[in-house]
């Protein structure tokens, strides 16, 4: 034993002595790399010609001087010959055309020009780069078709052309059989049409196929190789779903969303054992979901939204463990019926849960609070009844609670203040009654609150003042009463307040109108054409999953609304505060159907105003004389007041038919210099409020939208408590 150990020690020492010269040689090479990495002269000339055609505003290629290859940004050379073997100029702000001399780099193996602004056609001479293994021209402005000469690249492993919107034509016929080494093919976000060539279905080397966002047609076929990623989303594929049996052990991402796939979901899809992301949304899938369709626990994202699926919700749709399971489940916009199964609450990893726009009945499961990682829940537009379960406070990380347009009843529970991360709270269009609890002051993160169309009563309390990040507040169509509070204009980020159709009384507070940034910010640059006004008021959760190239999942809550205020249909009296008419950013103001009197302040400061409704009050005096100066103004209603005096033709009132009806002492100058009395409306019995609601133009169609986006990391999802939280960003 001792002899053997001694021999081992001796052998190690001898090996070290033999390695010493080699180590010294490598050290010399590292200390003087300029001699060993001298750029080949012909390759240098080719690179300089390439540079001569390129616009380089950030001077990223300023290092392309001298002969030391290691100093040339984005260039790598062969250690022995100095020939260029790799060019990587990703995201270097370059533009212009690619010089054909680049094709003289005959030893080039990697060419990456992604995320720049290169233009023109893809050079045909690229077909001469016979050693090329990766060609990445993604996110540029290349046009035309893919040259057939690319089929000469027999060693190509990656062909990435995504994000060139004007690159397209008929899908290249040769793509499936030109290189037996091709592993990744990405033609997404281009303009290719036609069908996928049959050879591509049999290309054994293929692992990653992304053809999203093109105009490809034909039936969805099965693939006969072990794919890792298959993305055919946003095309015009039809037919029924195959089983993808050849990829049963390998496929991680399957996206077929935004196509015209029909039929049911075959149970064999659940046999894809490695699947983490399945998106079949926005198709024409129908029938019931089989109870045998149970996915493996590796599945993180399941989106079946916007189909015609029917029947009861599956009681179990995926296996789950303590460390793995579904993160997102979207079954919204289908025809599911029946009750929400209790087993849904066993999906302990769930962070986003969407069941909106179905035919669901019954109560929200009492054990919903078991989903402690839940960030977003949308049960809106169903027929759910009962109250919001108190147990929901167990979802302590909740950012968005959206249950509008149901038959929910009961009161707002004071204990909801435990959801102190909540940013969106929408309980509108239900039958919820009682008062707004004082304890909701604890919801200090709220940005969007909609309590409209319920049976809420009582007066407004100071709890709302604690919502300092508030952007949108609607308590319209309730039974709230009392005086409007003095803090009405104290929200710095507020964009829209709707207090209409209640029983508020007293005066409009003459407060600090300069506090709100949106109300005071005049931005005519955000003007939109009149045709955009036809958009309805809309609150939707939009899901954009980018689990192929990144690990980020985003939820965009989009609200279309004007920057404005609606105090209409209340019991308000007194005069209109002058400060209200000095808000340069105000786009919409509705004070109609009240008992306001006095004169209308000057309109000249309301530069962004698009709609003004002061109808059905007791306002007096003359019409403000600068209506024609309000270039954004599209809707105006001053009818059924007590205005008097003479309105000249040059003020442009003729753009607003019926706007002055019901003012018997008002004289409107006609084109013939005659005086037209306005005692009768042009459309009897119809006010502007009705026209805006019933007609093609809606008061909610001022499409200035803002987004509350939630991001979550998928890879590090279960590593720590911090990785379980979304990073919230607000875009105004």
């Amino acid at each position: 034993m001792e002899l053997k150990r001694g021999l081992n020690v001796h052998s190690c020492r001898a090996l070290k002595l033999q390695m010493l010269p080699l180590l010294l040689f490598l050290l010399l090479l590292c200390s003087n790399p300029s001699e060993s990495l001298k750029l080949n002269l012909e390759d240098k000339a080719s690179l300089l010609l390439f540079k001569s055609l390129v616009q380089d505003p950030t001077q990223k290629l300023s290092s392309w001087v001298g002969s030391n290859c290691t100093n040339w940004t984005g260039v790598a050379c062969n250690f022995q010959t100095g020939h260029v073997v790799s060019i990587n100029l990703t995201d270097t702000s370059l533009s212009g055309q690619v010089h054909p001399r680049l094709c003289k780099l005959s030893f080039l193996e990697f060419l990456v020009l992604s995320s720049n602004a290169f233009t023109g056609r893809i050079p045909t001479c690229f077909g001469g780069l016979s050693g090329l293994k990766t060609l990445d021209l993604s996110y540029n402005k290349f046009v035309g078709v893919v040259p057939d000469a690319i089929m000469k690249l027999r060693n190509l492993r990656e062909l990435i052309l995504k994000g060139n919107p004007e690159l397209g034509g008929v899908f290249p016929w040769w793509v499936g059989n030109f290189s037996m080494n091709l592993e990744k093919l990405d033609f997404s976000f281009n303009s290719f049409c036609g069908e996928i060539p049959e050879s591509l279905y049999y290309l054994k080397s293929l692992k990653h196929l992304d053809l999203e966002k093109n105009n490809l047609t034909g039936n969805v076929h099965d693939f006969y190789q072990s794919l890792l990623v298959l993305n055919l989303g946003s095309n015009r594929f039809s037919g029924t779903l195959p089983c993808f049996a050849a990829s049963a052990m390998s496929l991680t991402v399957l996206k077929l969303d935004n196509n015209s796939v029909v039929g049911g979901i075959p149970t064999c899809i659940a046999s894809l054992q490695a699947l983490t992301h399945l998106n079949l949304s926005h198709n024409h899938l129908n029938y019931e979901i089989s109870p045998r369709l149970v996915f493996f626990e590796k599945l993180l994202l399941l989106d079946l939204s916007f189909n015609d699926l029917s029947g009861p919700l599956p009681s179990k749709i995926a296996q789950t463990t303590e460390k793995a399971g579904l993160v997102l489940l979207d079954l919204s916009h289908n025809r599911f019926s029946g009750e929400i199964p209790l087993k849904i609450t066993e999906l302990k990893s769930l962070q986003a849960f969407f069941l909106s726009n179905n035919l669901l009945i019954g109560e929200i499961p009492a054990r919903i609070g078991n989903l402690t990682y839940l960030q977003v829940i949308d049960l809106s537009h169903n027929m759910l009844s009962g109250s919001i379960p108190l147990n929901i406070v167990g979802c302590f990380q909740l950012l968005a609670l959206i249950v509008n347009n149901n038959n929910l009843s009961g009161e707002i529970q004071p204990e909801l203040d435990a959801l102190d991360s909540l940013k969106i709270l929408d309980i509108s269009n239900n039958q919820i009654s009682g008062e707004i609890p004082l304890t909701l002051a604890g919801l200090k993160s709220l940005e969007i609150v909609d309590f409209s169309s319920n049976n809420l009563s009582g007066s407004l309390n100071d709890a709302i003042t604690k919502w300092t990040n508030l952007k949108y507040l609607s308590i319209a169509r309730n039974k709230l009463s009392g005086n409007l509070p003095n803090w009405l204009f104290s929200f710095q980020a507020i964009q829209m307040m709707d207090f209409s159709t209640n029983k508020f009384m007293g005066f409009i507070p003459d407060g600090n109108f300069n506090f709100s940034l949106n109300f005071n910010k005049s931005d005519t640059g955000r003007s939109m054409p009149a045709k955009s006004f036809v958009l309805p008021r809309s609150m939707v959760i939009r899901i954009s999953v980018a689990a192929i190239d990144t690990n980020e999942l985003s939820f965009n809550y989009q609200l279309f609304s004007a920057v404005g205020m609606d105090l209409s249909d209340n019991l308000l009296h007194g005069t209109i505060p002058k400060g209200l008419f000095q808000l340069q950013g105000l786009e919409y103001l509705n004070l109609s159907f009240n008992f306001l009197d006095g004169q209308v302040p000057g309109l000249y400061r309301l530069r962004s105003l698009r709609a003004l409704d002061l109808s059905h009050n007791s306002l007096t005096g003359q019409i403000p004389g600068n209506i024609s100066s309000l270039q954004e103004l599209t809707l105006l209603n001053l009818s059924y007041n007590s205005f008097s005096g003479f309105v000249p033709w040059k003020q442009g009132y003729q753009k607003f038919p019926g706007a002055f009806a019901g003012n018997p002492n008002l004289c409107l100058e006609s084109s013939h210099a005659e005086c037209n009395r306005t005692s009768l409306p042009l459309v009897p019995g119809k006010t502007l409020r009705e026209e805006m609601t019933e007609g093609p133009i809606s008061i909610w169609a001022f499409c200035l939208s803002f987004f509350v986006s939630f991001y979550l990391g998928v890879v590090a999802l279960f590593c720590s408590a911090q990785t379980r939280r979304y990073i919230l960003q607000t875009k105004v």
Side-chain angles (χ1 to χ4, degrees):
M1 181 69 70
E2 292 296 326
L3 179 61
K4 188 174 183 180
R5 183 179 298 175
L7 288 173
N8 286 340
V9 171
H10 178 75
S11 299
C12 289
R13 287 176 178 172
L15 184 61
K16 288 181 179 178
L17 290 173
Q18 292 174 1
M19 293 287 291
L20 186 60
L22 179 60
L23 292 172
L24 290 173
F25 177 69
L26 292 174
L27 185 63
L28 287 172
L29 286 179
C30 294
S31 62
N32 191 15
S34 59
E35 293 183 5
S36 58
L37 290 178
K38 184 177 181 180
L39 184 60
N40 178 274
L41 291 178
E42 291 186 7
D43 287 2
K44 177 182 177 181
S46 297
L47 289 175
L48 291 176
L49 284 172
F50 165 77
K51 178 183 177 182
S52 67
L53 279 186
V54 169
Q55 286 76 52
D56 182 17
T58 58
Q59 297 296 305
K60 292 292 177 65
L61 304 186
S62 60
S63 63
W64 285 19
V65 292
S67 298
N68 187 350
C69 181
T70 60
N71 293 336
W72 285 50
T73 298
V75 177
C77 300
N78 181 277
F79 182 75
Q80 294 178 335
T81 65
H83 283 295
V84 175
V85 293
S86 175
I87 298 175
N88 187 347
L89 298 175
T90 298
D91 197 17
T92 46
S93 303
L94 302 177
S95 60
Q97 296 192 350
V98 177
H99 198 290
R101 185 64 184 269
L102 197 66
C103 302
K104 295 294 183 179
L105 302 174
S106 54
F107 291 89
L108 195 63
E109 296 181 8
F110 302 93
L111 177 57
V112 181
L113 303 178
S114 61
S115 300
N116 286 290
F118 287 107
T119 56
R121 294 178 175 270
I122 297 174
T124 303
C125 64
F126 276 177
L129 298 171
S130 58
L132 207 59
K133 297 177 181 177
T134 295
L135 177 59
D136 186 351
L137 307 179
S138 60
Y139 295 110
N140 280 285
K141 298 179 180 179
F142 288 109
V143 300
V145 299
V146 180
D148 288 345
I150 299 295
M151 75 171 74
K152 299 178 183 178
L153 303 179
R154 301 292 183 183
N155 296 309
L156 204 63
R157 295 177 182 173
E158 296 182 323
L159 179 56
I160 307 171
L161 304 178
K162 72 182 298 184
N164 291 277
E166 296 185 33
L167 180 67
V170 177
F171 197 87
W173 58 269
W174 43 263
V175 162
N177 55 16
F178 78 103
S179 172
M180 296 300 104
N181 299 310
L182 191 67
E183 296 179 2
K184 182 174 182 178
L185 180 65
D186 191 343
F187 281 12
S188 59
F189 294 90
N190 290 309
S191 299
F192 291 101
C193 60
E195 298 189 8
I196 297 175
E198 186 177 359
S199 56
L200 199 58
Y201 297 110
Y202 295 92
L203 182 59
K204 293 298 182 181
S205 60
L206 192 63
K207 302 295 182 185
H208 183 125
L209 178 61
D210 192 345
L211 304 178
E212 183 180 8
K213 195 69 175 174
N214 281 283
N215 295 307
L216 299 173
T217 56
N219 289 335
V220 178
H221 285 280
D222 213 336
F223 285 78
Y224 298 96
Q225 64 273 85
S226 297
L227 292 171
L228 296 175
V229 172
L230 176 59
N231 185 0
L232 303 179
S234 299
N235 280 284
R236 292 188 289 154
F237 291 114
S238 54
T240 58
L241 282 173
C243 290
F244 303 105
S247 301
M249 306 299 293
S250 60
L251 195 62
T252 60
V253 174
L254 176 57
K255 288 190 66 179
L256 288 167
D257 55 295
N258 287 285
N259 280 288
S260 298
V261 182
V262 297
I265 301 176
T267 55
C268 58
I269 289 289
S271 300
L272 301 174
Q273 297 185 28
L275 202 61
T276 62
H277 177 185
L278 176 60
N279 190 348
L280 303 177
S281 64
H282 292 271
N283 278 287
H284 303 297
L285 297 172
N286 49 22
Y287 307 121
E288 297 184 10
I289 293 181
S290 169
R292 293 184 294 140
L293 186 74
V294 180
F295 293 95
F296 287 89
E297 69 275 3
K298 289 184 179 180
L299 190 67
L300 298 176
L301 310 169
L302 177 59
D303 190 350
L304 304 179
S305 62
F306 290 91
N307 280 288
D308 297 314
L309 298 169
S310 58
L313 289 172
S315 59
K316 184 176 182 180
I317 199 164
Q319 299 175 13
T320 182
T321 65
E322 291 185 3
K323 295 184 178 180
L326 274 176
V327 173
L328 177 143
L329 176 60
D330 192 348
L331 303 177
S332 64
H333 294 270
N334 280 286
R335 293 187 293 113
F336 289 114
S337 56
E339 299 186 356
I340 300 174
L342 191 59
K343 284 206 170 186
I344 288 286
T345 61
E346 296 178 4
L347 298 172
K348 299 293 181 67
S349 304
L350 207 58
Q351 297 193 19
F353 186 30
F354 303 96
L355 290 178
S356 63
N357 294 88
N358 279 289
L359 304 171
L360 301 174
I361 59 173
E363 298 187 359
I364 300 172
R367 284 195 240 163
I368 195 75
N370 291 354
L371 304 177
T372 54
Y373 297 135
L374 201 61
Q375 309 275 315
V376 181
I377 182 169
D378 186 357
L379 307 177
S380 62
H381 295 274
N382 281 288
M383 296 179 286
L384 299 173
S385 56
S387 59
I388 299 173
L390 184 58
N391 181 262
I392 202 169
V393 299
C395 307
F396 61 93
Q397 299 186 60
L398 204 61
L399 297 175
L401 173 57
I402 305 168
V403 293
N404 58 288
N405 291 85
N406 280 287
N407 296 319
L408 298 175
S409 56
E411 298 185 357
I412 302 174
Q413 299 291 339
E415 290 81 2
L416 285 181
D417 68 326
L419 301 175
D420 54 3
S421 297
L422 202 62
K423 295 180 180 292
I424 301 169
L425 177 57
D426 188 351
I427 61 172
S428 62
N429 289 281
N430 281 289
Q431 300 174 27
I432 296 172
S433 57
E435 299 187 5
I436 300 174
L438 274 167
T439 57
L440 294 193
L443 302 179
K444 296 180 180 179
S445 299
L446 279 174
E447 298 184 15
I448 300 173
V449 178
D450 195 344
F451 291 167
S452 62
S453 298
N454 279 288
N455 296 315
L456 297 174
S457 57
S459 58
L460 294 180
N461 57 58
D462 292 343
I464 298 177
T465 63
K466 305 300 181 182
W467 304 340
T468 54
N469 298 316
L470 201 61
K471 291 182 173 67
Y472 177 91
L473 173 62
S474 178
I475 53 176
R477 297 174 294 284
N478 279 286
K479 300 175 182 178
L480 296 164
S481 58
N483 293 332
L484 290 177
N486 292 325
W487 46 257
L488 194 63
F489 303 101
S490 63
F491 301 101
Q492 189 171 6
I494 197 70
Q495 176 169 307
M496 181 68 190
M497 285 192 293
D498 188 354
F499 290 12
S500 63
T501 316
N502 280 285
K503 298 178 180 179
F504 292 116
M505 59 185 67
F507 301 96
I508 299 175
D510 193 359
N512 182 12
F513 294 102
N514 295 321
F515 198 79
S516 169
L517 297 179
N518 286 309
F519 284 1
N520 285 279
K521 179 173 61 177
S522 178
D523 185 6
T524 55
R526 67 187 175 201
S527 299
M528 300 178 187
K531 65 181 181 180
S532 69
F533 285 13
V534 300
L535 292 172
R537 174 176 179 264
S538 131
M539 285 186 178
V540 294
I541 289 283
R542 295 178 187 242
I543 306 169
S544 174
V545 179
I548 294 177
D549 296 321
T550 70
N551 299 315
E552 192 174 83
L553 172 68
S554 67
F555 306 93
N556 296 323
Y557 185 94
Q558 185 174 359
L559 170 67
F560 295 104
S561 118
V563 175
M565 179 181 302
D566 192 341
L567 302 177
S568 64
D569 199 9
N570 280 288
L571 305 173
L572 302 174
H573 62 269
T575 59
I576 301 173
K578 291 183 179 179
L580 194 58
F581 275 59
Q582 295 179 0
L583 301 176
Q584 298 183 35
L586 202 66
E587 295 180 326
Y588 167 66
L589 179 61
N590 191 348
L591 303 178
S592 64
F593 290 90
N594 280 289
F595 299 95
L596 300 172
D597 53 31
Q599 296 188 3
V600 177
L603 302 176
Y604 64 95
R605 296 290 298 273
L606 298 174
R607 299 172 185 172
S608 303
L609 195 65
R610 297 165 180 262
L612 176 64
D613 191 348
L614 304 178
S615 65
H616 294 269
N617 280 287
S618 300
L619 299 170
T620 58
Q622 294 187 340
I623 299 293
N626 54 351
I627 294 175
S628 59
S629 66
L630 301 178
Q631 299 180 1
E632 303 293 328
L633 193 64
T634 303
L635 303 175
L636 176 68
N637 192 354
L638 303 179
S639 64
Y640 296 97
N641 280 283
S642 298
F643 290 115
S644 59
F646 180 75
V647 183
W649 174 266
K650 64 181 181 181
Q651 283 196 20
Y653 69 85
Q654 62 276 6
K655 293 192 302 182
F656 311 106
F660 304 100
N663 290 279
N665 297 321
L666 191 63
C667 176
L668 304 180
E669 183 184 17
S670 68
S671 57
H672 305 292
E674 298 175 352
C675 183
N676 291 333
R677 296 290 175 180
T678 57
S679 57
L680 294 175
L682 294 184
V683 183
K686 180 156 287 197
T687 67
L688 181 58
R689 165 185 276 267
E690 292 169 331
E691 291 175 1
M692 293 163 74
T693 303
E694 298 173 9
I697 298 177
S698 168
I699 62 173
W700 297 102
F702 305 96
C703 180
L704 176 68
S705 61
F706 57 83
F707 301 88
V708 181
S709 300
F710 305 108
Y711 301 97
L712 85 97
V714 173
V715 168
L717 197 57
F718 302 100
C719 296
S720 67
Q722 291 181 346
T723 60
R724 298 182 190 278
R725 300 184 62 84
Y726 296 112
I727 301 169
L728 184 118
Q729 285 187 343
T730 303
K731 304 173 185 177
V732 179

